[in-house]
Amino acid sequence: MEIKYIFDNAKDLVDKEVNLNGWIRNHRPQKEFGFIDFSDGTCFKHLQIVYDNTLINFLDVSKLLVGSSISVEGTLVKSSGNQEHEVKAKSITILDSCPSDFPIQAKRHTKEFLRENAYLRARTNMFQAVFRVRSLAAQGIHKYFGDNGYIYFNAPIITASDCEGAGEMFQVTTLDLDKIARSGKVDYDKDFFGKLTGLTVSGQLEAETYALAFSKVYTFGPTFRAENSNTKTHMAEFWMIEPEIAFCDLFGLMDIEEEMLKYVIKYVMDNAADEIEFLDKFVENGLKEKLEKVVDSHFTRVTHEEVIKILKESNEKFEFTPEYGEDIAKEHEKYITEHFGGPVFIYNWPKDIKAFYMKQNDDGKTVGAVDLELPGVGELIGGSQREENYDKLVSRMKELGMNVDDMYWYVNLRKYGSCVHSGFGLGFERLIMYLTGMENIRDVIPYYRTPGNCEF
Ligand code: 4AD
Ligand code: MG
């Protein structure tokens, strides 16, 4: 039986025989009896196992060490302690005894220590909560898009196009690098795909091709960026959700982002009440209230120009001076979200700091891009209305020195039944940071990939 089943059916199971498989999370032996804090991971809550000297193999209780896998037979009884129910054990069989040098003992470990032991950290309450929330958030996202008529589209992982044009693609090759080093020249015609290819930095361009067939599509998949920055919000491998919507402009896009985000937050709160309560207590005080407030709030919408004005007029001493026409720094994002006290959409960005595919505004200076900034996380979502005019798109690509011929399948979308369309990319791990209160992105993905780290 799974613990989840026992909790869900506790009323009917009281005084009945139960049997369980799982792990010892803590063990407090007394002289004639003892308590085991027991978990099988099927729900966030643990079950308490009590035994006394009538236990069939009572002499072995000293071997019931933290981390051991055990099989328990006993009776579910009403508890007089903190919990409603517990199991009075008749027999406890050790499946595999865990030595006392098991790193995850029943005490508080630092997040750094747990990061170094990432292959075991899912056995702690904190990471049980984080990864349950992660799983639920993914399900909530699929549910939102599914219920709203979107087609789930799988963008290719290996691609020849660098969507963001930032030169951050990991190369994919079967060429023998040692041989090339000796010969001194690379012939990509001889590479596996007959050309230079890499891991995708975004599935957007391919998603656009399907949006112009299905109207509404979304991706949800891994994304790779050889970004050599060691920050708390960047990794080389992360998951992104990228909806693309035909006949939708920049303002329609903001409506969708806001509705989707509120839906997912609510979905997680409804389905992970125990986890959120735990995270509120041990990770971010006020987490629950923060999430509840956001669901009921109206997200602020300001232009990039207004943001720079606010930053300039503030009396804040910034390390980087905010400038019209330039990107904003982390400290500016922080100031702006605190200034407005919640999520902020910043739209109409200077065109020179944004990607080639964004809708060129009539002012000739800005593009129809929108970033959603969240307190404590910074940029959660980046999106835009797409340039749907063939000539404008091609001339921008040429200006940026891009090879238009290679991208014929993308520009041709503007020739074969083009339409106003928009889309965004939501960084899944940054969402999990916001939902759990975890401050380092390395702690919301099972195995993180950052410069110099590919452990586990
Ligand atoms: O702003 P970005 O680069 O936008 C795009 O890739 C567009 N093609 C999306 C689209 O319109 N379909 O990335 C989108 C989001 C960011 O807002 C951020 O949340 C996340 O992806 N992100 C990262 N998350 C973790 N580590 C990194 N290195 C990330 N880079 C971006
Ligand atoms: Mg961005």
Side-chain angles (χ1 to χ4, degrees), residues 342-387:
V344 183
F345 283 116
I346 305 177
Y347 66 98
N348 285 351
W349 287 73
K351 79 168 198 275
D352 291 330
I353 59 163
K354 290 288 183 186
F356 74 97
Y357 51 74
M358 295 181 176
K359 176 77 189 162
Q360 297 161 34
N361 287 333
D362 291 338
D363 62 10
K365 289 191 300 201
T366 61
V367 284
V370 60
D371 281 0
L372 179 65
E373 305 287 344
L374 287 194
V377 172
E379 180 194 328
L380 173 72
I381 303 181
S384 73
Q385 189 174 320
R386 316 308 187 189
E387 181 52 71

Side-chain angles (χ1 to χ4, degrees), residues 233-234 304 307-308 311 318-323 326-337 346 349 353 371 373-374 377-379:
T233 50
H234 288 88
H304 177 271
V307 163
I308 300 293
L311 293 170
F318 293 118
E319 193 189 334
F320 300 96
T321 314
E323 288 299 347
E326 284 179 18
D327 208 350
I328 59 171
K330 257 236 95 87
E331 55 179 340
H332 305 145
E333 294 176 355
K334 187 165 180 285
Y335 180 85
I336 285 297
T337 51
I346 305 177
W349 287 73
I353 59 163
D371 281 0
E373 305 287 344
L374 287 194
V377 172
E379 180 194 328

Side-chain angles (χ1 to χ4, degrees), residues 109-243:
H109 297 287
T110 65
K111 294 197 189 87
E112 289 73 21
F113 174 82
L114 292 170
R115 220 173 281 149
E116 283 161 20
N117 289 279
Y119 73 110
L120 297 172
R121 67 180 172 175
R123 302 188 194 193
T124 63
N125 290 337
M126 184 184 290
F127 286 93
Q128 284 270 317
V130 168
F131 288 105
R132 278 177 191 293
V133 166
R134 184 178 167 113
S135 170
L136 280 165
Q139 283 159 1
I141 286 166
H142 280 298
K143 189 154 164 49
Y144 172 83
F145 288 114
D147 288 355
N148 284 284
Y150 287 70
I151 291 291
Y152 177 36
F153 165 76
N154 299 117
I157 305 276
I158 299 175
T159 173
S161 48
D162 178 358
C163 173
E164 295 306 300
E168 290 173 343
M169 270 172 94
F170 281 102
Q171 198 173 330
V172 171
T173 184
T174 50
L175 292 173
D176 182 337
L177 299 184
D178 288 328
K179 213 156 123 193
I180 290 169
R182 285 193 298 272
S183 76
K185 62 175 196 307
V186 189
D187 183 359
Y188 284 110
D189 290 342
K190 298 228 165 62
D191 205 349
F192 192 89
F193 298 104
K195 57 163 116 174
L196 180 64
T197 55
L199 297 176
T200 186
V201 297
S202 159
Q204 175 199 324
L205 305 186
E206 294 88 352
E208 281 186 53
T209 67
Y210 267 55
L212 268 61
F214 289 97
S215 279
K216 295 192 286 190
V217 301
Y218 75 103
T219 71
F220 192 154
T223 312
F224 309 88
R225 292 188 188 180
E227 187 162 356
N228 208 356
S229 56
N230 259 308
T231 79
K232 287 182 175 179
T233 50
H234 288 88
M235 289 182 298
E237 178 179 310
F238 61 100
W239 286 65
M240 188 152 53
I241 294 97
E242 296 188 272

Side-chain angles (χ1 to χ4, degrees), residues 375-416:
V377 172
E379 180 194 328
L380 173 72
I381 303 181
S384 73
Q385 189 174 320
R386 316 308 187 189
E387 181 52 71
E388 81 276 11
N389 179 286
Y390 185 92
D391 295 331
K392 282 188 182 168
L393 178 67
V394 168
S395 83
R396 182 67 182 144
M397 288 171 77
K398 284 185 177 156
E399 238 172 67
L400 293 168
M402 294 174 68
N403 187 329
V404 180
D405 290 341
D406 283 356
M407 303 275 292
Y408 73 92
W409 56 272
Y410 185 71
V411 294
N412 277 359
L413 297 179
R414 280 73 184 162
K415 213 157 87 179
Y416 303 144

